[in-house]
Amino acid sequence: LLLPDPGEDTESLEAVLPGEAPARYVKRVTSLKLDAAMERLRRRALPAAPVLCSDTTVARGRTIYGKPADERDAMRMLRELSGATHRVLTAVAIQHGRKRREALSDSRVIFEAMTPAQLRDYVATGEPMGKAGAYAVQGWVAAHIVRIAGSYTGIMGLPLYETALLLREFGVRNSRANPTATLG
């Protein structure tokens, strides 16, 4: 893993630009994360290898819902998403040497209309913190999801289908006989 160095400001990469559309935003942030990871690879003098980064955002119309700042912000986001359809966009990008490819997963999620008590109870679990749109699809909020159209793994944060397609472009193959991915 090419985790950020201590003191490296990774949160600033996620700042939304004025008027930025959700798909453009998530692809830009993913690209910036990949740039930073490639620089870490170079700086640490590690051998060349494929590097994968992804980012997820939640959007309703052109409104982007990032990670909540606090519980109050999480409540606001969830109130706005409650009883409505929203999009979950996850961009994934891979680079090896100078070759870079990216893909975008675009899914729709419909929440039931949640009561204030249901919202408070969910926020009280702490699960919304650090999550785009203030929720984790694989967590407690799943009991309030009416319908999903798209990629469940994309909503979780790494769309496996799109990721597998990109990995194949880089020569990473997987077989049933040998489920361990290897570089070809």
Side-chain angles (χ1 to χ4, degrees):
L1 291 176
L2 290 169
L3 297 174
D5 295 324
E8 192 174 337
D9 180 15
T10 57
E11 291 300 313
S12 66
L13 298 178
E14 297 182 14
V16 179
L17 300 177
E20 191 168 29
R24 185 174 192 86
Y25 163 78
V26 76
K27 291 192 306 189
R28 180 182 59 80
V29 170
T30 300
S31 183
L32 290 172
K33 287 182 174 185
L34 185 52
D35 290 343
M38 294 303 293
E39 176 56 28
R40 281 184 220 115
L41 184 77
R42 186 199 62 74
R43 191 173 55 246
R44 295 173 187 172
L46 297 170
V51 177
L52 182 146
C53 288
S54 69
D55 192 64
T56 301
T57 198
V58 170
R60 186 161 173 231
R62 290 185 60 90
T63 302
I64 295 170
Y65 295 86
K67 297 172 188 166
D70 53 30
E71 288 184 358
R72 184 180 195 160
D73 195 29
M75 284 290 293
R76 175 193 61 81
M77 289 183 194
L78 291 165
R79 250 192 326 272
E80 291 174 14
L81 297 175
S82 176
T85 300
H86 62 274
R87 295 167 64 197
V88 179
L89 300 138
T90 299
V92 60
I94 301 175
Q95 183 169 337
H96 188 232
R98 293 182 187 269
K99 181 179 177 182
R100 182 182 283 214
R101 298 289 184 268
E102 67 177 36
L104 180 67
S105 170
D106 187 343
S107 301
R108 303 280 186 288
V109 178
I110 302 172
F111 281 158
E112 72 175 342
M114 295 166 66
T115 67
Q118 289 171 321
L119 293 170
R120 278 192 307 277
D121 289 347
Y122 179 60
V123 171
T125 68
E127 194 173 88
M129 306 316 295
K131 308 287 190 304
Y135 76 92
V137 69
Q138 69 276 22
W140 291 105
V141 82
H144 303 285
I145 294 174
V146 175
R147 183 171 295 118
I148 291 173
S151 170
Y152 182 78
T153 58
I155 297 166
M156 284 180 63
L158 185 65
L160 295 183
Y161 175 75
E162 291 83 351
T163 301
L165 289 177
L166 290 175
L167 287 170
R168 282 185 222 132
E169 282 192 54
F170 284 85
V172 177
R173 58 193 184 309
N174 185 314
S175 73
R176 289 179 192 218
N178 180 5
T180 305
T182 58
L183 281 177

